[in-house]
Amino acid sequence: MVCLDPSVRVDLVRGGVVRLPDGPGTRVVALAGTLWITLEDDPRDVLVEAGAAFVVDRGGLTLVCAIAGPAAVLIEAAPPQAHAPVDEAAEAPVPASRAA
């Protein structure tokens, strides 16, 4: 992913591309210009104009492109999961008689 911080601003020239290899939950905000967003194995083409945002809703490669001239984009990483699902069987203690 392009971002090393929770959010990063990227200035793109016309035709410039940001690659998000796997970013479900990542928020893409058009600060200026128009963005074309395409997602791997998804027939949609998403246009985001200045002031609007799109949240990546699937895994796989996402491409963000400045299509009508220069654009400024804010990439905000997906928030961390507050409560990830827990596999209770995996978390259960092993009885002493079965421990290796």
Side-chain angles (χ1 to χ4, degrees):
M1 179 181 275
V2 169
C3 325
L4 298 177
D5 295 323
S7 66
V8 65
R9 177 188 167 130
V10 179
D11 293 308
L12 298 171
V13 297
R14 182 178 182 193
V17 175
V18 174
R19 295 172 54 90
L20 304 173
D22 192 24
T26 300
R27 188 168 182 252
V28 179
V29 182
L31 300 174
T34 301
L35 305 173
W36 168 58
I37 301 174
T38 187
L39 301 104
E40 184 175 349
D41 295 326
D42 191 320
R44 295 177 293 169
D45 285 322
V46 179
L47 291 178
V48 181
E49 295 183 350
F54 174 76
V55 176
V56 178
D57 56 4
R58 64 184 305 136
L61 179 63
T62 298
L63 300 177
V64 179
C65 179
I67 62 166
V73 59
L74 181 66
I75 308 290
E76 297 177 327
Q81 297 293 329
H83 301 286
V86 176
D87 180 356
E88 291 181 19
E91 295 293 320
V94 176
S97 62
R98 297 183 70 201

